[in-house]
């Protein structure tokens, strides 16, 4: 997958995401795996990034088979 030591922010609709989870995300047009290293909740007006421009977590990956599909 796409390796980077940079941190990226994503919006997660699933409130059960926790630090250490592996998630499937879109990064620069490439779908890849990422590890959740921080989690925070914000009101729309207080979000640190433009909400409408921030990408979303596609899903939590719980098995290799999920990633392949």
């Amino acid at each position: 997958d796409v390796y980077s030591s940079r941190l990226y922010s994503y919006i997660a609709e699933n409130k059960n995401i926790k630090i250490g989870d592996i998630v499937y995300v879109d990064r620069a047009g490439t779908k890849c795996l990422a590890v959740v290293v921080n989690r925070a909740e914000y009101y729309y007006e207080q979000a640190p990034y433009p909400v409408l421009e921030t990408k979303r977590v596609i899903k939590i990956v719980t098995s290799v088979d999920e990633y392949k599909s």
Side-chain angles (χ1 to χ4, degrees):
D1 279 351
V2 180
Y3 174 78
S4 176
S5 59
R6 290 185 58 197
L7 298 179
Y8 293 87
S9 294
Y10 291 87
I11 295 173
E13 305 294 333
N14 185 335
K15 302 294 181 192
N16 296 320
I17 286 183
K18 56 192 175 299
I19 293 173
D21 281 349
I22 308 268
V23 293
Y24 199 42
V25 297
D26 179 336
R27 191 175 130 222
T30 302
K31 292 184 177 147
C32 60
L33 295 176
V35 177
V36 177
V37 296
N38 190 14
R39 184 181 184 283
E41 292 188 34
Y42 299 98
Y43 289 106
Y44 183 91
E45 302 81 22
Q46 297 170 331
Y49 303 102
V51 174
L52 297 177
E53 296 174 24
T54 304
K55 293 183 180 181
R56 287 165 164 63
V57 170
I58 298 168
K59 67 179 177 178
I60 299 173
V61 177
T62 57
S63 72
V64 175
D65 294 332
E66 276 187 63
Y67 172 64
K68 290 180 182 177
S69 58

